[in-house]
Amino acid sequence: NAGVTQTPKFRILKIGQSMTLQCAQDMNHNYMYWYRQDPGMGLKLIYYSVGAGITDKGEVPNGYNVSRSTTEDFPLRLELAAPSQTSVYFCASRGPINQPQHFGDGTRLSIL
Amino acid sequence: KNEVEQSPQNLTAQEGEFITINCSYSVGISALHWLQQHPGGGIVSLFMLSSGKKKHGRLIATINIQEKHSSLHITASHPRDSAVYICAVRAAMDSNYQLIWGAGTKLIIKP
């Protein structure tokens, strides 16, 4: 099973560019999450979704947008990249309430 | 003050030593997670517990709900245990399973 798949693994952007980080899961999980992890820091929740068509802001949503048109996919969009968005981005999904979150391998994003 | 505090922040030990990593939290919780982040960046869930103790191989996780404290123990540590260990809690009143994350403990096991 693939689990949670994130693409790309690495990306360098120029200030002001836009891009979409892709996240797909094949476990039929309703809950999906986007986190960012800055060097030496803990994970911070950007956005989450409790099912197709439903998304909500997390702790640090500014500068990002998400959509959830299908159960499988939960893309994260950066519209106007800023150096402060240089980070490692993790996508995660979860099934029933008594189960842990499953993480993708992360996307390392640098804004120069 | 963070709602989830881990100690120590960094830990270096020799192969074979018994390792303890601590997690204290200030909110009422319904579950506590321990996760491992490998040097390459991948994050793996180790334990999810709401009471008592769980064991998997050389890893043991305990939680004391009254004292709002959890520990992760590694017996007979090995260099491959070198990783960042992260504690995260689900607040008791949270209905969407958002986790509150600790900053992690970086563990290095020397051969």
Side-chain angles (χ1 to χ4, degrees), chain B residues 3-50:
Chain B
E3 291 172 300
V4 178
E5 296 274 359
Q6 288 186 236
S7 63
Q9 212 169 0
N10 295 282
L11 178 57
T12 300
Q14 292 297 131
E15 183 173 357
E17 286 189 38
F18 181 80
I19 303 299
T20 296
I21 298 170
N22 297 299
C23 176
S24 296
Y25 51 92
S26 58
V27 297
I29 69 167
S30 56
L32 182 143
H33 297 252
W34 282 104
L35 304 98
Q36 180 191 55
Q37 185 169 24
H38 298 119
I43 299 174
V44 175
S45 180
L46 298 174
F47 296 104
M48 184 172 73
L49 63 165
S50 54

Side-chain angles (χ1 to χ4, degrees), chain A residues 82-102:
Chain A
S84 61
Q85 293 176 305
T86 294
S87 191
V88 180
Y89 291 83
F90 288 98
C91 178
S93 73
R94 179 183 69 78
I97 198 164
N98 61 344
Q99 296 298 311
Q101 294 185 18
H102 296 258

Side-chain angles (χ1 to χ4, degrees), chain A residues 11-28:
Chain A
R11 184 73 183 267
I12 298 174
L13 284 182
K14 293 182 180 179
I15 295 171
Q17 286 185 319
S18 62
M19 78 162 293
T20 299
L21 281 65
Q22 301 291 346
C23 176
Q25 52 93 8
D26 61 359
M27 297 172 282
N28 202 32

Side-chain angles (χ1 to χ4, degrees), chain B residues 18 20-25 29 32-34 47-56 59-65 68-74 87:
Chain B
F18 181 80
T20 296
I21 298 170
N22 297 299
C23 176
S24 296
Y25 51 92
I29 69 167
L32 182 143
H33 297 252
W34 282 104
F47 296 104
M48 184 172 73
L49 63 165
S50 54
S51 65
K53 175 179 171 179
K54 286 191 175 180
K55 185 175 188 291
H56 186 261
L59 300 177
I60 303 165
T62 63
I63 188 168
N64 185 320
I65 296 293
K68 294 185 176 175
H69 181 268
S70 175
S71 293
L72 177 68
H73 305 286
I74 305 175
C87 171

Side-chain angles (χ1 to χ4, degrees), chain B residues 88-106:
Chain B
V89 302
R90 179 191 173 203
M93 300 305 294
D94 182 88
S95 60
N96 289 320
Y97 209 82
Q98 293 186 55
L99 296 177
I100 306 169
W101 297 84
T105 294
K106 185 174 183 179

